[in-house]
């Protein structure tokens, strides 16, 4: 034989919270009473507490009428037991202290089938109690299982939750600000935000900022309301149209200082702007020629009248030649040759050295390590200290003019 123990809600201090518009299956089997002066079961309405159980509910922000329905009563029907339930809704200004009780509903003393407790004009945001007792039989009070259902304008919540944004048609890469709107949602939790069902963020306030949406992405949100009888709400869904078109600034380039390069942008639209526009042939052409004097990132921005999309390309500028204006071929192993940094990038270059009277003293095609000028003439004679003139022809399309200057030979 299965013996059922007492339910926790056998005591007023453990009264079970009844949520509105939700069916609860309860029982008073093996329930007892706590009867002493001013104890929880020290009351007499249309019945007295004998084997009572306790429920509680809290009204909404407006208060009003409530109905507490009992149904599906199934009695134990053991020998000597009663076969009816007794029930009432009470207000307790001091919880579970009987001297503070007042009856605020009809009082049922002989509930053998479905019945309803009705209480009208209840105060808002107030907790009330429902006490249920088994009617006494020949020797024992009734014990039964039953369902309860709480409803009515005094407890109906009807919270509302929705989300919105300024526009559901955006450009690729745009940042979108969402706003959440709640009504009749007390004690709300954090807002959880989802894109295509995947959690992407949580916020304490009602605003959420997000970027990276794709075409046909669906954004929803979730929030919970009420400390008691928690209610989780799902928002409406917002579907996005994300406009996109080809904008490609092209590959990066590496050039020598002084060189030019043609950018290789691509787009399907016609409203084109490159920035920055200095040292650029045409900032409104898709493939302008640029001649930066330092490493520069260029931005290609294209506008189709609704969306503006940008892409970037970097032109890396390597320093060109570093031509020293002095060297000292004195045999000390330091600065004994005229070393031109970067000249190895121009293997076909032509270099000529002249005296101040125009006599050529050195000439080379290509300027490898073995060919570096050591301060000697073409015949191998050491030249005197002084200023010498050079002409360097790099033989490169980016350097149309020869490079000219002077170098001081010091002994």
């Amino acid at each position: 034989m299965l013996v059922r123990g007492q339910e926790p809600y056998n005591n007023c201090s453990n009264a079970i919270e009844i949520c509105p518009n939700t069916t609860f299956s309860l029982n008073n089997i093996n329930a007892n009473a706590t009867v002493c002066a001013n104890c929880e079961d020290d009351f007499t309405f249309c019945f007295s507490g004998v084997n009572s159980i306790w429920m509680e509910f809290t009204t909404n922000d407006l208060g009003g009428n409530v109905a507490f329905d009992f149904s599906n009563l199934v009695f134990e029907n053991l020998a000597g037991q009663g076969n009816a339930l007794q029930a009432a809704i009470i207000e307790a200004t001091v919880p579970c202290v009987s001297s503070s009780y007042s009856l605020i509903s009809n009082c049922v003393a002989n509930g053998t089938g479905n019945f309803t407790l009705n209480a009208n004009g209840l105060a808002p945001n107030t907790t009330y109690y429902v006490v249920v007792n088994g009617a006494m039989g020949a020797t024992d009070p009734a014990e039964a299982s039953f369902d309860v259902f709480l409803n009515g304008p005094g407890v109906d919540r009807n919270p509302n939750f929705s989300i919105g944004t300024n526009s559901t048609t955006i450009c690729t890469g745009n940042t979108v600000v969402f706003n959440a709107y709640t009504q009749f949602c007390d004690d709300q939790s954090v807002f959880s935000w989802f894109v295509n069902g995947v959690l992407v963020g949580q916020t304490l306030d009602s605003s959420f900022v997000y970027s990276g949406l794709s075409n046909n992405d669906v954004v929803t949100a979730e929030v919970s309301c009420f400390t008691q009888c928690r209610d989780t709400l799902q928002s409406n869904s917002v579907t996005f149209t994300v406009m996109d078109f080809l904008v490609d600034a092209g590959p990066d380039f590496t050039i020598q200082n002084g060189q030019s390069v043609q950018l290789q942008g691509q787009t399907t639209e016609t409203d084109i702007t490159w920035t920055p526009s200095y040292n650029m042939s045409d900032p409104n052409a898709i493939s302008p020629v640029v001649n930066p004097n330092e490493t520069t990132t260029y931005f290609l921005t294209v506008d189709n009248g609704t969306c503006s999309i940008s892409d970037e390309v970097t032109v890396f500028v390597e320093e060109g030649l570093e031509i020293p204006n002095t060297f000292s071929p004195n045999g000390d192993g330091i600065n004994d040759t005229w070393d031109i940094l970067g000249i190895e990038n121009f293997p076909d270059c032509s270099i000529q050295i002249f005296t101040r009277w125009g006599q050529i003293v050195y000439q080379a095609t290509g300027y490898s390590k073995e060919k570096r000028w050591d301060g000697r003439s073409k015949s191998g004679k050491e030249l005197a200290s002084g200023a010498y003139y050079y002409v360097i022809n790099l033989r490169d399309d980016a350097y149309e003019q020869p490079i000219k200057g002077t170098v001081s030979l010091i002994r």
Side-chain angles (χ1 to χ4, degrees):
M1 177 179 177
L2 178 63
V3 178
R4 183 181 300 187
Q6 293 176 337
E7 299 291 353
Y9 46 84
N10 180 57
N11 297 316
C12 175
S13 59
N14 291 328
I16 183 171
E17 178 76 18
I18 301 300
C19 303
N21 301 302
T22 303
T23 298
F24 287 77
S25 295
L26 308 177
N27 70 84
N28 74 327
I29 298 172
N30 291 324
N32 58 15
T34 303
V35 180
C36 60
N38 217 19
C39 291
E40 63 182 52
D41 291 310
D42 181 25
F43 64 85
T44 300
F45 297 120
C46 65
F47 64 94
S48 299
V50 176
N51 63 340
S52 60
I53 60 171
W54 291 82
M55 294 165 270
E56 64 179 17
F57 64 88
T58 302
T59 52
N60 57 29
D61 292 343
L62 300 176
N65 301 345
V66 302
F68 206 98
D69 299 328
F70 288 75
S71 61
N72 299 323
L73 280 64
V74 178
F75 291 93
E76 293 286 277
N77 287 324
L78 299 178
Q81 279 189 323
N83 62 355
L85 290 183
Q86 303 167 324
I89 301 175
I90 63 175
E91 180 178 9
T93 56
V94 180
C96 304
V97 176
S98 62
S99 61
S100 72
Y101 296 169
S102 58
L103 180 66
I104 60 171
S105 73
N106 56 309
C107 186
V108 174
N110 189 34
T112 58
N114 296 350
F115 64 91
T116 298
L117 300 177
N118 292 291
N120 298 325
L122 300 188
N125 298 313
T126 302
T127 298
Y128 295 92
Y129 291 87
V130 179
V131 61
V132 178
N133 193 82
M136 183 61 68
T139 57
D140 295 300
E143 294 182 336
S145 61
F146 50 89
D147 293 338
V148 296
F149 186 85
L150 173 66
N151 63 97
V155 289
D156 289 342
R157 288 166 166 173
N158 300 319
N160 296 319
F161 177 42
S162 63
I163 61 172
T165 188
N166 288 338
S167 176
T168 58
T169 299
I170 62 171
C171 304
T172 185
N174 280 177
T175 296
V176 181
V177 178
F178 296 92
N179 291 296
Y181 306 94
T182 58
Q183 189 178 29
F184 310 121
C185 177
D186 296 339
D187 306 310
Q188 65 190 27
S189 67
V190 298
F191 295 93
S192 298
W193 300 87
F194 301 83
V195 175
N196 301 326
V198 177
L199 179 66
V200 295
Q202 292 183 309
T203 58
L204 291 173
D205 57 28
S206 59
S207 294
F208 178 59
V209 179
Y210 188 75
S211 60
L213 289 170
S214 299
N215 195 42
N216 294 322
D217 276 353
V218 178
V219 177
T220 55
E222 182 179 282
V223 69
S224 293
C225 309
F226 313 113
T227 300
Q228 297 174 313
C229 298
R230 206 75 170 147
D231 191 359
T232 299
L233 307 180
Q234 306 291 333
S235 76
N236 56 304
S237 61
V238 180
T239 303
F240 281 86
T241 299
V242 180
M243 300 184 66
D244 195 7
F245 49 85
L246 174 65
V247 178
D248 183 359
D252 294 339
F253 292 95
T254 299
I255 63 173
Q256 297 295 319
N257 195 358
Q259 287 184 316
S260 300
V261 67
Q262 186 172 25
L263 302 182
Q264 298 178 11
Q266 297 183 67
T267 185
T268 55
E269 307 300 320
T270 58
D271 189 351
I272 298 164
T273 304
W274 286 93
T275 54
S277 59
Y278 57 83
N279 292 334
M280 179 180 290
S281 61
D282 184 353
N284 301 118
I286 190 60
S287 298
V289 175
V290 295
N291 181 25
N293 52 23
E294 62 182 354
T295 296
T296 302
T297 297
Y298 295 95
F299 295 89
L300 171 62
T301 301
V302 181
D303 195 312
N304 72 346
T306 302
C307 289
S308 181
I309 302 176
S310 296
D311 192 31
E312 65 183 53
V313 60
T314 299
V315 178
F316 297 93
V317 178
E318 294 183 348
E319 290 299 327
L321 302 180
E322 291 188 15
I323 305 174
N325 58 11
T326 183
F327 75 112
S328 55
N330 55 14
D332 63 358
I334 301 174
N335 203 25
D336 281 337
T337 59
W338 188 45
D339 297 337
I340 303 174
L341 186 63
I343 197 67
E344 64 275 7
N345 295 319
F346 305 91
D348 296 327
C349 69
S350 170
I351 296 180
Q352 294 176 310
I353 308 294
F354 300 88
T355 67
R356 58 180 177 174
W357 296 284
Q359 180 183 4
I360 188 167
V361 294
Y362 174 86
Q363 181 174 277
T365 299
Y367 198 66
S368 62
K369 183 177 181 180
E370 295 77 16
K371 293 183 178 181
R372 291 175 185 173
W373 184 38
D374 59 2
R376 298 176 183 272
S377 66
K378 292 189 294 182
S379 63
K381 180 182 177 181
E382 289 187 355
L383 296 171
S385 297
Y388 292 82
Y389 298 90
Y390 62 80
V391 176
I392 302 174
N393 189 338
L394 296 177
R395 294 179 178 171
D396 188 286
D397 291 341
Y399 297 87
E400 297 180 357
Q401 300 298 321
I403 302 171
K404 299 178 180 180
T406 62
V407 56
S408 295
L409 187 156
I410 301 173
R411 292 197 183 276

